[in-house]
């Protein structure tokens, strides 16, 4: 159950076939609104996303990996996702991850969740169960969730703005210490949630991500699903 | 909207901060109205009954001094019993100000609305003054058939000044299940708070939460409201209007127009 494990590399690989590449994590709407225009504004966007949606997702994933009932964590995820467009996206991503993970790390826990929520659980909940199946602990899966929260927008912005990919990767590298801190905070909160209940999980939110998700979902033509 | 008023502190604040609590209990009065068997507050809390409308009792929190200052610990408890209806407001904005010690102020609100009770919780904004550090929590427990209208507004800095640090968590449980849980974290020390994902330069942020049993059968559709606000139905009998704006007035305009639209929806149930 150590943090460093090749299974984590497989799970967090951008080429893992779980559908993440189709999502910009709100970056497409932010580019259109002129809030992300270059490397510096991408970094500010990713930093905000990491410490809000990223920490929330990492906490949910870590709590599930720690053994808390995935259905209860799924309800906590709903309460932390006011945007129906983002709830639908999280369940779609959860379903796609479930399909890939059942092939990669078959497990009765994954089968049970797929049966209980055939339309998909929130992606971080599935991620937490996948971690259990792959022998990864709460801290490791929190790293994967936190990384996903910023790697998606960074790669999307390379396509949306024709940003230099070296610059996008440099943004991720500069955020690495904060990713570590967010993952630790999420794992600690998961430990607290085992004792105190799920309200102990973090719930930081980003108003613009929630508001613009609904506008983006209504666009007739878009490059990314979110 | 009432202009914010920072009332002058009558006594020098204790360097360790003020510890104060207020309590409201609303219960049916037996004649179709609502009584307030408990209405008490100390320190910066002065609660007044300010008339009513039909079955609803109205309570206003009158600012008795500048609060919260850093180091203050304030708690406000409100319970609305089955069959009662309560409206809560404040006479002025709450301004978080720096204390002497640099310790954060805390302001914790606990709200309990029973099945068959109704609450309109409509305080004026919380203004985070430069150099202040405040943590607020609002925990709401709703019975299955409870009705709630709750407004929350935060203004980051007084006119022309940078904001202090503001951490604010709103947790709503409905019939024992989590319905809404959100923490907002702004100002110096909150990483990325002013970037394009979180506030993108806006200085006022707020929401209107409406919980009504009829949303169970007839949920509202999600709908963007211009570029900086949206109506979003929750995964439960509730809808949230979220908005960011340049300032408090612009924010209130958006939320007020939706409050009246939502009232029409609810009346039609």
């Amino acid at each position: 159950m150590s943090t460093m494990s090749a299974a984590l590399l497989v799970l967090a690989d951008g080429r893992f076939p779980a559908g993440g590449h189709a999502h910009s994590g709100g970056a497409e709407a932010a580019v259109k609104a002129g809030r992300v225009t270059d490397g510096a504004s991408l970094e500010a966007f990713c930093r905000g996303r990491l410490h809000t949606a990223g920490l929330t997702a990492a906490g949910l994933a870590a709590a599930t990996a720690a053994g808390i009932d995935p259905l209860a964590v799924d309800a906590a995820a709903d309460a932390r996702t006011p945007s129906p467009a983002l709830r639908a996206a999280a369940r779609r991503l959860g379903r796609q991850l479930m399909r890939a993970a059942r092939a990669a790390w078959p497990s009765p826990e994954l089968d049970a969740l797929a049966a209980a929520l055939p339309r998909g659980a929130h992606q971080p909940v599935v991620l937490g169960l996948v971690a259990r199946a792959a022998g990864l602990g709460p801290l490791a899966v929190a790293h994967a969730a936190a990384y996903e929260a910023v790697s998606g927008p960074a790669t999307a912005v390379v396509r949306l703005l024709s940003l230099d990919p070296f610059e996008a990767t440099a943004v991720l590298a500069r955020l690495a210490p904060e990713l570590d801190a967010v993952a630790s905070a999420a794992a600690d909160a998961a430990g607290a949630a085992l004792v105190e209940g799920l309200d102990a999980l973090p719930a930081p939110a980003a108003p613009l991500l929630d508001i613009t998700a609904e506008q983006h979902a209504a666009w007739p033509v878009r490059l990314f699903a979110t | 909207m009432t202009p914010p008023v920072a009332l002058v502190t009558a006594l020098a604040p204790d360097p360790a901060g003020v510890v104060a609590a207020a309590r409201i209990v609303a219960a049916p009065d037996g004649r179709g109205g609502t009584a307030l068997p408990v209405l008490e507050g100390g320190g910066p809390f002065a609660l007044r009954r300010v008339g009513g409308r039909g079955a609803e009792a109205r309570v206003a929190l009158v600012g008795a001094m500048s609060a919260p200052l850093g180091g203050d610990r304030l708690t406000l408890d409100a319970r609305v019993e089955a069959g009662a209806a309560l409206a809560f407001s404040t006479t002025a904005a709450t301004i978080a100000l720096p204390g002497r010690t640099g310790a954060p102020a805390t302001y914790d609100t606990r709200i309990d609305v029973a099945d068959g009770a109704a609450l309109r919780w409509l305080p004026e904004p919380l203004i985070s003054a430069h150099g202040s550090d405040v943590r607020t929590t609002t925990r709401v427990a709703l019975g299955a058939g409870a009705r709630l209208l709750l407004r929350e507004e935060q203004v980051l800095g007084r006119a022309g000044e940078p904001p202090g640090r503001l951490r604010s968590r709103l947790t709503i449980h409905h019939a024992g299940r989590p319905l809404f849980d959100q923490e907002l974290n702004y100002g110096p020390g909150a990483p990325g708070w002013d970037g394009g994902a979180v506030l993108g330069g806006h200085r006022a942020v707020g929401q209107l939460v409406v919980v009504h049993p009829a949303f169970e059968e007839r949920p509202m559709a999600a709908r963007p409201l211009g570029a900086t606000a949206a109506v979003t139905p929750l995964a439960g009998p509730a809808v949230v209007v979220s908005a960011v704006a340049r300032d408090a007035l612009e924010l209130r305009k958006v939320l007020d127009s939706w409050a009246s639209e939502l009232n029409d929806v609810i009346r039609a149930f």
Side-chain angles (χ1 to χ4, degrees):
Chain A
M1 298 279 269
S2 76
T3 301
M4 212 34 246
S5 153
L8 178 58
L9 298 178
V10 175
L11 184 58
D13 189 335
R15 285 157 295 190
F16 190 82
H21 63 277
H23 295 261
S24 81
E28 186 169 25
V31 165
K32 174 106 181 268
R35 284 192 275 267
V36 172
T37 54
D38 56 11
S41 48
L42 171 64
E43 183 167 338
F45 178 92
C46 286
R47 177 168 288 114
R49 190 167 201 275
L50 169 65
H51 290 274
T52 55
L55 176 56
T56 297
L60 295 164
T64 312
I68 297 180
D69 172 15
L71 295 178
V73 182
D74 194 70
D78 261 349
R80 284 162 175 73
T81 318
S83 156
L86 294 183
R87 287 198 298 275
R91 292 195 183 283
R92 195 159 56 240
L93 282 167
R95 207 163 57 230
Q96 288 172 294
L97 174 58
M98 177 67 83
R99 204 177 303 138
R102 284 169 93 182
W105 296 284
S107 113
E109 284 185 344
L110 287 173
D111 296 344
L113 182 62
L117 295 174
R119 297 174 61 199
H122 278 261
Q123 192 267 3
V125 179
V126 181
L127 190 63
L129 271 197
V130 174
R132 292 171 67 79
L136 296 167
L139 181 60
V141 79
H143 270 100
Y147 181 62
E148 259 176 20
V150 291
S151 63
T155 10
V157 167
V158 169
R159 290 176 64 190
L160 291 162
L161 283 180
S162 306
L163 186 75
D164 180 352
F166 288 0
E167 203 170 345
T169 300
V171 164
L172 295 177
R174 281 195 293 276
L175 287 172
E178 290 175 57
L179 282 158
D180 290 339
V182 163
S184 294
D188 289 349
L194 279 169
V195 182
E196 299 161 28
L198 286 167
D199 286 356
L201 291 182
L208 278 174
L209 288 181
D210 290 334
I211 289 166
T212 58
E214 290 305 321
Q215 293 156 356
H216 183 265
W219 292 5
V221 180
R222 51 187 200 258
L223 204 51
F224 292 94
T226 61
Chain B
M1 181 169 122
T2 322
V5 183
L7 292 159
V8 177
T9 308
L11 299 166
D14 186 320
V18 169
V19 179
R23 238 158 45 90
I24 309 168
V25 176
D29 66 2
R31 303 185 304 274
T34 296
L36 299 169
V38 178
L39 189 64
E40 58 190 31
F45 291 121
L47 296 170
R48 302 273 180 271
R49 180 162 190 160
V50 287
R53 191 182 65 173
E56 184 184 72
R58 290 185 172 189
V59 169
L61 190 153
V62 181
M65 63 185 210
S66 294
L69 295 168
D72 288 356
R73 281 171 292 153
L74 310 179
T75 55
L76 175 55
D77 276 283
R79 194 169 87 230
V80 189
E81 295 181 351
L86 175 69
F88 172 86
S89 63
T90 58
T91 56
T94 301
I95 306 179
L97 295 166
R100 293 186 177 175
T101 62
T106 62
Y107 191 159
D108 298 307
T109 305
R110 299 287 173 270
I111 296 171
D112 204 318
V113 187
D115 191 10
L119 174 65
R120 297 191 300 135
W121 191 262
L122 301 167
E124 294 301 309
L126 172 61
I127 301 174
S128 164
H130 180 53
S132 67
D133 185 353
V134 65
R135 301 171 191 191
T136 76
T137 64
T138 304
R139 295 183 60 87
V140 184
L142 301 173
R147 284 162 290 150
L148 174 74
L149 168 65
L150 181 146
R151 181 180 67 212
E152 192 181 70
E153 294 164 308
Q154 284 133 1
V155 179
L156 306 176
R158 290 168 297 194
E161 74 174 7
R165 179 79 183 269
L166 170 61
R167 274 164 282 188
S168 163
R169 180 139 177 190
L170 171 60
T171 305
I172 304 177
H173 285 257
H174 175 257
R177 286 175 55 84
L179 176 66
F180 186 69
D181 203 342
Q182 181 188 69
E183 185 175 72
L184 302 171
N185 193 352
Y186 306 125
W193 70 276
D194 205 19
V198 185
L199 285 185
H202 296 91
R203 285 294 174 268
V205 53
Q207 54 202 355
L208 206 58
V209 183
V210 185
V211 184
H212 194 289
F215 283 133
E216 204 89 64
E217 299 294 315
R218 297 161 67 179
M220 269 183 97
R223 183 168 146 193
L225 305 171
T228 51
V231 181
T232 55
L234 300 181
V239 62
V240 175
V241 181
S242 315
V244 294
R246 268 176 313 185
D247 56 35
L249 284 173
E250 194 183 287
L251 175 68
R252 179 60 66 85
K253 224 170 106 184
V254 175
L255 296 183
D256 271 357
S257 70
W258 270 83
S260 63
E261 181 143 340
L262 286 164
N263 268 328
D264 293 343
V265 169
I266 285 166
R267 264 195 290 272
F269 281 147

